[in-house]
Amino acid sequence: MEREPEMGTFTSLCTLLSLLFFVHADIVEQFEDVPECLKYFYKSKVPKWGASTPGTKHLCQRFANRYHFATLYDTNHRIAVYSAYVFEPSNGGGREKRWFVEPQLVDKSWQGEMVDGYRLGKDHPGIYLGQKQALNEDYTHSGFDRGHLNPNGHHAVPGRNSTFTLTNVVPQNPKLNQNAWRIHESQLTDLFREKCSKAYVLVGAVPSVDNWIVKNNVKRVNIPEYVWNAYCCVDNNDRPIQSGAATAKNTDDNLVKKLSLDAFGKFLQQFSDQAVGEVFHNNCNH
């Protein structure tokens, strides 16, 4: 006569299956559930900023069957609240011609890895992919660039390729994207290469009150009022050695303002009714 499994064994099995599910999922309940995704946050501290935004999804950005960065995605505005990543020295390559979308934002049962939006549409004819995310066609002839938050130039292949997902871009003023912001990203590249053993970076956007890319009389993608980034640079012993932040109004002003993390926290606070808190553990101090 067979014995029924003990409750403890059953519970352990369920826990194991749950962990396996989270490890292989792209959209997760919280970043803390997935160690491979949590590693993009300094000392595993996930910012409070954006946590209360309605309709957000936690994306562990998966490409070539592994994670490369994390994105808190706002499905109502169809832009990211922020992307979090660790800088990787790069020798170029990996400039994608494809733009990826997140299948699980269409159907939770679909695959977790990002997919070329054109191909996914061909694989699922008659199913609209853009209910909860931006599509490549939204940006076409919009007058705005597909502005990377997590920049492709801060990664080596294949991480570089993974940044070409539409959940990692926002409508960015072309003058800003191609000039002042590009120069700022290049300056950070030099800084991270020369000074940091490892650099943890957050890059995000502040949505506008009511400025949108409109297609067929439908508000499709919010045009952010600001783009921003913040970084925590550490030495070989994971001790902070330098930090900073920058903001830029998403206009033809083409101006990047550099800030301390303390000043950056005050910048974010003006857009929130709740306490923003630290964006990095201990504000990237010893």
Side-chain angles (χ1 to χ4, degrees):
M1 180 172 155
E2 290 186 5
R3 294 177 60 193
E4 293 188 5
E6 296 181 5
M7 183 57 70
T9 303
F10 179 75
T11 302
S12 297
L13 179 60
C14 288
T15 301
L16 176 61
L17 290 174
S18 176
L19 287 171
L20 288 172
F21 169 78
F22 279 126
V23 167
H24 292 285
D26 191 6
I27 297 181
V28 298
E29 288 299 317
Q30 54 185 5
F31 293 127
E32 288 87 350
D33 291 330
V34 186
E36 292 86 352
C37 196
L38 192 60
K39 69 183 181 182
Y40 302 114
F41 300 90
Y42 176 56
K43 297 290 188 182
S44 300
K45 177 184 173 64
V46 177
K48 292 181 180 179
W49 169 254
S52 62
T53 303
T56 52
K57 298 291 184 181
H58 297 78
L59 309 183
C60 294
Q61 300 282 15
R62 185 143 63 92
F63 179 80
N65 204 33
R66 69 181 180 89
Y67 296 135
H68 297 278
F69 63 104
T71 299
L72 183 64
Y73 190 72
D74 179 349
T75 61
N76 292 328
H77 289 106
R78 300 186 186 90
I79 58 173
V81 177
Y82 63 75
S83 284
Y85 65 96
V86 173
F87 173 78
E88 299 175 294
S90 171
N91 293 318
R95 181 75 195 182
E96 277 286 350
K97 294 182 179 178
R98 302 170 294 175
W99 285 99
F100 303 114
V101 295
E102 172 50 61
Q104 290 186 353
L105 285 177
V106 183
D107 189 318
K108 286 188 291 186
S109 69
W110 289 6
Q111 70 182 70
E113 182 155 320
M114 62 181 69
V115 179
D116 174 10
Y118 177 78
R119 196 191 91 192
L120 190 65
K122 289 291 185 182
D123 290 344
H124 299 277
I127 296 180
Y128 182 53
L129 306 180
Q131 186 65 37
K132 293 183 178 180
Q133 64 189 312
L135 303 176
N136 194 33
E137 63 204 49
D138 292 324
Y139 285 87
T140 304
H141 307 304
S142 68
F144 290 88
D145 284 357
R146 298 164 185 81
H148 280 69
L149 291 180
N150 177 2
N152 68 89
H154 284 191
H155 296 272
V157 173
R160 192 176 176 97
N161 306 71
S162 73
T163 64
F164 286 82
T165 169
L166 291 163
T167 54
N168 178 53
V169 304
V170 299
Q172 195 165 7
N173 178 282
K175 186 175 181 181
L176 174 66
N177 185 42
Q178 298 169 30
N179 291 276
W181 196 252
R182 177 187 59 80
I183 293 168
H184 173 61
E185 289 176 339
S186 179
Q187 290 171 342
L188 287 179
T189 297
D190 293 340
L191 170 68
F192 297 159
R193 281 179 179 270
E194 295 169 8
K195 299 285 183 68
C196 310
S197 175
K198 185 179 286 188
Y200 295 86
V201 191
L202 288 168
V203 189
V206 177
S208 61
V209 175
D210 196 24
N211 191 16
W212 296 77
I213 291 177
V214 177
K215 296 286 182 177
N216 299 318
N217 296 317
V218 175
K219 294 177 179 179
R220 283 293 304 154
V221 187
N222 185 271
I223 301 165
E225 184 178 356
Y226 286 92
V227 291
W228 56 263
N229 65 17
Y231 68 88
C232 179
C233 180
V234 301
D235 64 16
N236 286 323
N237 296 311
D238 208 35
R239 294 179 301 198
I241 53 177
Q242 190 166 336
S243 65
T247 65
K249 202 164 179 64
N250 193 23
T251 65
D252 280 339
D253 290 349
N254 192 35
L255 181 65
V256 174
K257 186 176 182 180
K258 297 183 181 182
L259 304 169
S260 67
L261 288 184
D262 286 337
F264 175 63
K266 293 175 182 177
F267 165 82
L268 288 182
Q269 191 62 66
Q270 65 184 315
F271 304 107
S272 177
D273 294 331
Q274 300 179 355
V276 170
E278 299 170 342
V279 293
F280 296 110
H281 172 76
N282 201 28
N283 220 24
C284 195
N285 290 313
H286 288 296

